[in-house]
Amino acid sequence: MRFKCINAITRIKEPVWERVFSANVFKDSKKFEKCYRQKMVSILTKYSPYYEKDMEDYDTEGEEDDAKEDKKKSGLEILKMHGIMSYAQTMEWKGPLSYRIDDTCVIDTSKQIYGTIINTQTLEHASPVSLAGCKKIMTIENKANYESMQYDENTLYIFCHGYFTPKEVYFLKKLSLIVSKECEFLHWGDMDFGGISIFLFIKDRIFEKLMPYRMGVADFEEALKKDAGIPLKTSTREKLQKKDAGLLTELKEAILESDKTIEQERLL
């Protein structure tokens, strides 16, 4: 049954709801979640080309998650990468982006100053064609911070929601080809293990020139002064110590020294 399940995962061509997948494979809509989800997560964590080291920690990081909820949520990111959805997947942005649906019409989203949302099916048929006047592209990890950013005709704000799926990566990589060479690429996320990991993922997979925004040591220390710190979990601390944080190495050391992390929403 495990082989049957993993074989079905490798054949997914279009995103599918978790319970629909379960019904198709086991004739039982809840069997995958109850009996096979964690087994498949373990296999995909070991062998999937989409897996990023310690990706599962983004699923479970958070001071309010108890052990039961941690186990329930663990692995959602890697399953999403392979097309198994436990919640509605959408892509959101606001800024001067125009995209084409298949080979037909071009849609200019610059008029939607409060943001544009497309679902997975639209994403599969969409291709960016223009970023006229865009001088800055910023990915933002958390929804509250994304919503707080006012429309700017020179900036494209993209809601990150964690790790981007392969289809999102494919779509977003094309932005580098249509934007001016002077365009800045920035990422604003949590100052914690997950935030560092997501920044590195985007820099490695999508925007090579990506730089951190409000994720420096000075920003971290200022947030601590405002009592915005959250205790660093012991298990997360051990993994953070081993992680190559790249451009965020100084932030990593500040987190380890203070034994605190900062959620992006606390900076609003």
Side-chain angles (χ1 to χ4, degrees):
M1 295 303 288
R2 291 186 190 182
F3 173 80
K4 183 178 181 180
C5 189
I6 196 67
N7 197 39
I9 290 175
T10 65
R11 295 183 179 184
I12 293 175
K13 294 182 179 180
E14 305 291 341
V16 60
W17 294 108
E18 184 177 56
R19 292 195 174 183
V20 173
F21 173 82
S22 183
N24 291 340
V25 176
F26 302 110
K27 311 303 180 185
D28 181 334
S29 66
K30 298 180 181 179
K31 191 166 186 176
F32 177 78
E33 180 180 350
K34 290 181 178 179
C35 304
Y36 291 95
R37 179 199 280 174
Q38 289 306 313
K39 294 180 177 67
M40 293 304 105
V41 167
S42 297
I43 292 172
L44 293 173
T45 296
K46 187 173 182 179
Y47 296 107
S48 172
Y50 301 135
Y51 177 72
E52 290 286 321
K53 186 178 180 182
D54 301 317
M55 178 182 286
E56 70 278 3
D57 289 297
Y58 178 76
D59 289 327
T60 60
E61 194 167 10
E63 61 176 342
E64 297 180 357
D65 293 338
D66 56 26
K68 183 177 180 180
E69 284 301 307
D70 281 358
K71 185 175 182 180
K72 182 180 178 181
K73 294 196 305 176
S74 180
L76 295 186
E77 287 291 332
I78 189 61
L79 289 175
K80 182 178 70 174
M81 292 287 196
H82 282 271
I84 297 179
M85 305 296 169
S86 59
Y87 52 87
Q89 182 197 346
T90 59
M91 185 170 173
E92 303 183 37
W93 71 80
K94 45 188 169 183
L97 174 61
S98 295
Y99 68 97
R100 177 181 283 109
I101 298 292
D102 293 324
D103 293 322
T104 58
C105 61
V106 173
I107 300 171
D108 179 6
T109 67
S110 64
K111 306 302 182 183
Q112 298 180 190
I113 62 174
Y114 301 110
T116 297
I117 302 176
I118 61 174
N119 60 13
T120 302
Q121 192 171 20
T122 301
L123 180 63
E124 291 171 352
H125 294 272
S127 180
V129 295
S130 174
L131 270 170
C134 184
K135 299 178 180 178
K136 187 183 301 180
I137 295 177
M138 180 184 294
T139 50
I140 302 175
E141 181 180 342
N142 295 305
K143 189 65 175 287
N145 300 72
Y146 165 77
E147 292 284 0
S148 72
M149 305 300 280
Q150 297 298 315
Y151 180 84
D152 180 351
E153 62 181 9
N154 297 316
T155 303
L156 178 67
Y157 299 110
I158 303 168
F159 175 46
C160 183
H161 68 69
Y163 292 89
F164 288 115
T165 64
K167 286 183 172 61
E168 290 173 310
V169 170
Y170 181 74
F171 180 90
L172 293 173
K173 285 183 73 172
K174 293 182 179 179
L175 298 182
S176 299
L177 303 177
I178 63 174
V179 78
S180 68
K181 294 182 179 179
E182 293 74 29
C183 182
E184 291 183 82
F185 295 87
L186 301 171
H187 175 75
W188 187 16
D190 293 335
M191 289 185 277
D192 59 13
F193 182 85
I196 291 174
S197 299
I198 291 169
F199 170 81
L200 296 174
F201 172 86
I202 297 173
K203 185 174 179 62
D204 178 61
R205 299 289 185 98
I206 306 174
F207 301 133
E208 183 180 350
K209 298 179 181 179
L210 192 69
M211 299 294 290
Y213 173 79
R214 296 185 66 182
M215 297 179 72
V217 174
D219 302 294
F220 182 81
E221 292 176 345
E222 180 180 351
L224 288 182
K225 291 178 182 178
K226 296 179 180 179
D227 197 30
I230 298 172
L232 177 64
K233 290 182 179 181
T234 302
S235 59
T236 306
R237 179 184 181 83
E238 293 172 354
K239 292 181 179 180
L240 183 59
Q241 287 174 324
K242 299 175 183 178
K243 190 170 190 64
D244 180 359
L247 293 177
L248 295 175
T249 296
E250 291 185 1
L251 173 61
K252 164 189 166 179
E253 296 302 326
I255 293 172
L256 292 173
E257 183 177 349
S258 65
D259 212 28
K260 300 282 187 179
T261 63
I262 305 293
E263 291 183 336
Q264 186 182 12
E265 293 94 336
R266 299 296 298 273
L267 301 180
L268 291 177

